[in-house]
Amino acid sequence: MTTPSTPLRPEPFEQFQRRRSGAYFNPERYHKKMHRFNKRRFLKVPIASFLNIPCNVEKRIRRAKRTIAKAGASDSEELMLVEMKSSKRSNLYFSFAPHVDLPKEDTEDFNGIFVSQVFDGGFTDMSRNISVMERWIADTFGESAKLSKHEYFAHYPQKPTKDGEQRTVLFARIC
């Protein structure tokens, strides 16, 4: 029996991610930016949670992406937003092309002005990230923005940044 001359080594994570996804997540597109959504279409997927831990989330994500792909409604800027309603319920929102209708699916149009900010880390730092973002909104848009109740949506990019770090994008609807 012959042995290979070069030992089999696992592929470095960076090369694997680049090969799998084709590109890196660029945080500059979302960091401290304002976005105007005018009837931006999203597929709404309710998720049952147990103490803020979503159940069956991978299955729901695969099903939603398959539904969007089957309808030919893939969006150029693919956003998956997470809205935590309570410790028992959350919603996932998947963006899709505005010219396509998804029959028999629960869709929602997002309207208004959203601001976004990029944070290091993942879901576990969300409460700290929200308080940092509230201070930033108050400093940037004045006290009137601080008094209004904001809706927060988190976006966890599928691709890491060029340095291999995972980031979270937090969206807040300000009006």
Side-chain angles (χ1 to χ4, degrees):
M1 182 172 174
T2 62
T3 60
S5 60
T6 57
L8 297 175
R9 278 185 245 135
E11 188 174 19
F13 180 74
E14 180 181 322
Q15 289 176 358
F16 168 74
Q17 281 292 22
R18 192 176 327 120
R19 185 175 52 78
R20 192 179 115 228
S21 59
Y24 292 106
F25 170 68
N26 182 10
E28 293 302 316
R29 184 174 185 173
Y30 296 105
H31 190 59
K32 296 186 178 181
K33 303 286 184 189
M34 190 177 294
H35 311 273
R36 183 179 303 275
F37 288 169
N38 185 16
K39 293 186 180 178
R40 179 82 186 253
R41 309 282 318 266
F42 284 88
L43 173 65
K44 181 179 177 182
V45 179
I47 301 285
S49 301
F50 177 72
L51 299 175
N52 286 330
I53 300 171
C55 304
N56 252 353
V57 70
E58 290 144 6
K59 182 179 174 183
R60 297 287 183 111
I61 289 172
R62 278 195 305 269
R63 182 185 172 278
K65 286 186 173 190
R66 190 171 40 244
T67 300
I68 290 171
K70 203 180 278 187
S74 296
D75 194 4
S76 60
E77 179 188 13
E78 186 179 291
L79 282 177
M80 181 185 81
L81 303 179
V82 181
E83 178 186 34
M84 300 301 289
K85 289 299 225 183
S86 69
S87 63
K88 296 180 182 178
R89 179 130 320 262
S90 58
N91 292 320
L92 297 178
Y93 294 94
F94 296 88
S95 65
F96 65 94
H99 62 278
V100 178
D101 195 28
L102 296 176
K104 301 179 186 174
E105 298 294 336
D106 188 12
T107 61
E108 192 168 317
D109 293 342
F110 279 31
N111 294 306
I113 298 173
F114 291 76
V115 291
S116 62
Q117 194 169 1
V118 179
F119 296 96
D120 292 335
F123 177 76
T124 55
D125 302 322
M126 192 54 61
S127 60
R128 180 185 57 83
N129 295 346
I130 288 175
S131 63
V132 168
M133 191 159 184
E134 282 178 346
R135 282 195 304 273
W136 175 72
I137 289 171
D139 292 344
T140 306
F141 299 102
E143 289 298 316
S144 61
K146 183 180 179 185
L147 296 175
S148 64
K149 178 72 176 140
H150 304 293
E151 293 179 77
Y152 287 98
F153 301 92
H155 170 58
Y156 303 99
Q158 301 285 323
K159 305 167 188 170
T161 58
K162 200 156 186 92
D163 57 2
E165 295 293 319
Q166 189 63 40
R167 302 286 200 283
T168 299
V169 181
L170 196 57
F171 285 86
R173 185 188 321 243
I174 59 171
C175 62

